[in-house]
Amino acid sequence: MNSLPLRAIVALLALATCAAAADGPPADPLDAYNVVWDSPSKDSSGSMPLGNGDIGLNVWAEAGGDLVFYVSKTDAWDGLGRLLKLGRVRVKLTPNPFTAGQPFRQTLRLRQGEIEIVAGQAADAVTVRLWADANRPVIHVEAYGQKPFELQATLEVWRTKEGPLEGKNRDSARGVLESPEPLVATPDTLLDLPGDRLVWYHRNTTSCWPVTMKVQGLEGLVKPSDDPLMGRTFGGMIKGEGLAKTGPASLKSKAASKHHAFAIYALTKTPATEAQWLSELDATAARAGAVALDKAREAHRAWWNDFWNRSWIRVIGTAGAEEVATNTLPLRIGASSSGGNRFAGDIAQPMIFSRALTEDEIAMLAARNPGAPGLRGDPALVAAWDFGSLKDGVVAGTGTAAAPAKVVGEVGVADTHARGSDPPAMPGALRLTGKGYLEVADSPKLRLAGACTISAWVAPAKGTATDGRLFDKCPIGTNNGFVLDTYPGGRSLRFITPAATLTQKDALKVGEWTHVAAVFDPSGDARLYVGGKPVTAQTVGTGTRTTIAQGYALQRFINACGGRGAMPIKFNGS
């Protein structure tokens, strides 16, 4: 899986559960930023990254299946200038602890620089530990259980034949997409050598370097001996004590045991023949294998401990301290603060509160419950508008701010009863065609610094799918205020505050009314409601600070995983 470090961090934060023990904060502050998953993943999109500065992994456990991981290396460049994965490894455990309904816990342990997976019922549980040695070019996979089990490790390669790149695979060779020469990929080589080991490599017999230099007008500097791609050979070896080869691509335990371990040695050599590369690989494996596993693990953890102790940033604070940044901009209904991003459709019954409405109150508004009108007299109701009262370019406002809304450009009032899907007794709705919007002058009460709720009925115009602002009190290009809009695609719903940005795709239907609400609770979370039901939420308050600190720690971790190789970090596919 090619993935941006930022993308990896976002995925980890989105899927992480709290790593702290239930009875209090962890003894090691860094443990608060560990990523913990309580279920297996569907595929590589649910993988955890791991690395030692040069060798990388994407690790995941399949529900009811196997433990799987990709292996990467920072200098595994093929003749087309693509940074390739070395291969994929599949680990099968028998009995299988990853079956549906079994306990599961996968932890990215930052302090130790390792991934630990514990799966299965207590008596039958298996613990799997993966780590890329911080001091040597080797990956270790260890598995422990209270009862004997079997292990099989299979190497999976997919570059099996020479041929042109087609479809989306061409994007991986973006640097030479417009080349007049065909983009021909070459296969990996799987060696069937004596001994209980799996060996494979990729060797470049072509190179895009000369034509790339020519395109840059540097052909005069081209010397065949300087070509960084031609003859570059990269791959690896898999072997482990007690594992026997069952084929060129598979190792299996000779007997069931409570402990299994195997290692993957990775090497890039350039330029190199097969014999030269294989000789160096054997020497690399011998050097790394001469260090006892316990000693290697101890030194590996010491490297990571020193790394984390060199510097750190931990963001802490008091619960409830989050707030929406205020500004003196006017509130716009149907446009951004610059007058752009105009919404096309109808808006009815907008209400802005200076408190977080409860789920039951939101449901009442969405259901047109008879109890809902009581919210019109709520002292926290800052502003509301009945667009049917539009007169002389002004809509009178109610609520504690009593803020009138002035027409800018062209707007209209819709006959809500003309729509077949309109809720009964819907008051007059504002009809926007993209030619105008409403503007409400700034006032202290509209500067929602703490808890708030924005509620309205919305119906995007038929035939349109254009992003548009519903409510906007935020400077362009910042999140220093609040925004509720239909980004992306005109049918989604997005809520922006400094502490959280929430998006719900396909929340709206063109030509149909939908009740929407956005709630910000500084002591809890931000939430989006569609049709009176919560659809997405994000923790704010102290949770936001933990997320910031965890994001910083995870970015440092990603940099450490890929920042010590022969090549610089490739941030769009390392």
Side-chain angles (χ1 to χ4, degrees), residues 230-248:
M230 183 65 74
R232 180 176 291 265
T233 307
F234 48 87
M237 175 195 300
I238 306 176
K239 66 177 183 178
E241 186 175 351
L243 300 183
K245 187 165 67 175
T246 59

Side-chain angles (χ1 to χ4, degrees), residues 188-505:
D188 296 344
T189 299
L190 182 61
L191 298 175
D192 193 2
L193 300 175
D196 293 322
R197 57 178 178 161
L198 311 180
V199 180
W200 81 104
Y201 69 86
H202 185 98
R203 183 172 184 272
N204 296 337
T205 56
T206 62
S207 171
C208 69
W209 183 68
V211 68
T212 301
M213 295 290 280
K214 183 177 180 180
V215 168
Q216 298 296 327
L218 300 173
E219 63 268 34
L221 301 178
V222 171
K223 297 178 181 179
S225 60
D226 294 337
D227 192 326
L229 299 179
M230 183 65 74
R232 180 176 291 265
T233 307
F234 48 87
M237 175 195 300
I238 306 176
K239 66 177 183 178
E241 186 175 351
L243 300 183
K245 187 165 67 175
T246 59
S250 181
L251 294 171
K252 188 174 182 179
S253 54
K254 298 176 183 178
S257 174
K258 295 181 180 180
H259 172 238
H260 298 286
F262 66 90
I264 304 171
Y265 306 91
L267 174 69
T268 298
K269 188 174 178 61
T270 184
T273 64
E274 176 185 302
Q276 291 170 331
W277 177 83
L278 186 57
S279 176
E280 181 63 28
L281 178 67
D282 286 337
T284 298
R287 287 191 297 269
V291 182
L293 182 61
D294 289 348
K295 294 294 185 181
R297 188 190 312 110
E298 181 181 351
H300 165 81
R301 290 180 174 177
W303 186 94
W304 276 101
N305 186 62
D306 290 344
F307 168 80
W308 291 116
N309 286 341
R310 280 202 298 271
S311 66
W312 62 86
I313 295 177
R314 297 187 184 120
V315 185
I316 59 176
T318 304
E322 294 290 350
E323 60 181 29
V324 176
T326 60
N327 57 66
T328 58
L329 291 172
L331 169 69
R332 286 184 169 88
I333 302 173
S336 68
S337 60
S338 67
N341 300 102
R342 297 184 180 182
F343 175 72
D346 294 356
I347 302 175
Q349 298 186 26
M351 304 173 76
I352 298 177
F353 295 84
S354 59
R355 68 175 178 88
L357 295 189
T358 67
E359 188 169 325
D360 287 343
E361 289 172 328
I362 298 291
M364 281 197 302
L365 291 173
R368 303 288 295 144
N369 189 292
L375 291 173
R376 292 273 175 182
D378 193 302
L381 178 63
V382 174
W385 298 271
D386 177 1
F387 298 124
S389 67
L390 175 63
K391 183 177 182 181
D392 298 328
V394 177
V395 177
T398 58
T400 58
K406 296 183 179 180
V407 172
V408 178
E410 299 179 16
V411 305
V413 176
D415 180 1
T416 60
H417 297 285
R419 289 179 181 269
S421 59
D422 284 352
M426 177 77 79
L430 178 70
R431 174 150 293 175
L432 301 171
T433 62
K435 297 181 180 181
Y437 55 90
L438 296 184
E439 181 173 290
V440 182
D442 173 61
S443 71
K445 291 187 176 180
L446 284 174
R447 300 171 195 166
L448 304 175
C452 62
T453 300
I454 302 173
S455 166
W457 288 86
V458 179
K462 290 183 178 179
T464 66
T466 304
D467 304 336
R469 297 287 204 265
L470 300 173
F471 301 90
D472 188 309
K473 198 176 190 299
C474 189
I476 289 293
T478 77
N479 60 353
N480 296 325
F482 60 88
V483 171
L484 184 64
D485 64 5
T486 61
Y487 177 88
R491 296 176 185 144
S492 301
L493 192 65
R494 181 177 64 167
F495 181 41
I496 299 174
T497 70
T501 296
L502 303 179
T503 301
Q504 180 66 28
K505 291 185 176 181

Side-chain angles (χ1 to χ4, degrees), residues 26 35-36 47 61 82 158 236 240 268 282 305 311 377 392 470 534 556-557:
V35 178
V36 182
S47 65
R82 302 182 300 161
W158 51 91
T268 298
D282 286 337
N305 186 62
S311 66
D392 298 328
L470 300 173
R556 284 197 69 206
F557 173 76

Side-chain angles (χ1 to χ4, degrees), residues 12-315:
L12 289 173
L13 292 175
L15 296 172
T17 60
C18 181
D23 56 353
D28 182 352
L30 187 62
D31 286 351
Y33 310 139
N34 286 347
V35 178
V36 182
W37 296 345
D38 58 10
S39 64
S41 302
K42 178 181 179 182
D43 51 34
S44 62
S45 64
S47 65
M48 276 186 180
L50 193 66
N52 70 350
D54 181 38
I55 300 171
L57 294 87
N58 290 98
V59 182
W60 73 98
E62 297 177 340
D66 305 322
L67 173 67
V68 189
F69 55 91
Y70 286 110
V71 180
S72 66
K73 204 168 182 301
T74 62
D75 53 5
W77 298 91
D78 79 342
L80 295 174
R82 302 182 300 161
L83 186 59
L84 302 181
K85 292 288 188 281
L86 300 186
R88 184 170 61 191
V89 178
R90 181 174 295 274
V91 182
K92 182 180 292 293
L93 303 178
T94 306
N96 185 3
F98 304 131
T99 54
Q102 296 295 310
F104 180 92
R105 185 177 179 87
Q106 178 175 335
T107 306
L108 176 61
R109 303 179 71 199
L110 296 175
R111 176 71 68 182
Q112 294 78 17
E114 66 186 33
I115 291 174
E116 181 184 79
I117 302 174
V118 181
Q121 296 292 342
D124 302 311
V126 174
T127 298
V128 181
R129 181 185 297 122
L130 301 97
W131 47 287
D133 194 326
N135 304 295
R136 298 168 188 86
V138 56
I139 299 164
H140 289 286
V141 181
E142 307 175 61
Y144 304 86
Q146 298 183 47
K147 296 180 179 179
F149 61 95
E150 296 180 346
L151 179 146
Q152 181 176 6
T154 302
L155 170 67
E156 298 179 347
V157 295
W158 51 91
R159 297 179 292 268
T160 57
K161 62 182 180 180
E162 183 172 326
L165 291 178
E166 298 177 345
K168 291 184 178 181
N169 284 327
R170 290 173 57 84
D171 292 342
S172 62
R174 183 168 296 277
V176 290
L177 275 182
E178 301 304 322
S179 171
E181 302 296 328
L183 303 183
V184 179
T186 55
D188 296 344
T189 299
L190 182 61
L191 298 175
D192 193 2
L193 300 175
D196 293 322
R197 57 178 178 161
L198 311 180
V199 180
W200 81 104
Y201 69 86
H202 185 98
R203 183 172 184 272
N204 296 337
T205 56
T206 62
S207 171
C208 69
W209 183 68
V211 68
T212 301
M213 295 290 280
K214 183 177 180 180
V215 168
Q216 298 296 327
L218 300 173
E219 63 268 34
L221 301 178
V222 171
K223 297 178 181 179
S225 60
D226 294 337
D227 192 326
L229 299 179
M230 183 65 74
R232 180 176 291 265
T233 307
F234 48 87
M237 175 195 300
I238 306 176
K239 66 177 183 178
E241 186 175 351
L243 300 183
K245 187 165 67 175
T246 59
S250 181
L251 294 171
K252 188 174 182 179
S253 54
K254 298 176 183 178
S257 174
K258 295 181 180 180
H259 172 238
H260 298 286
F262 66 90
I264 304 171
Y265 306 91
L267 174 69
T268 298
K269 188 174 178 61
T270 184
T273 64
E274 176 185 302
Q276 291 170 331
W277 177 83
L278 186 57
S279 176
E280 181 63 28
L281 178 67
D282 286 337
T284 298
R287 287 191 297 269
V291 182
L293 182 61
D294 289 348
K295 294 294 185 181
R297 188 190 312 110
E298 181 181 351
H300 165 81
R301 290 180 174 177
W303 186 94
W304 276 101
N305 186 62
D306 290 344
F307 168 80
W308 291 116
N309 286 341
R310 280 202 298 271
S311 66
W312 62 86
I313 295 177
R314 297 187 184 120
V315 185

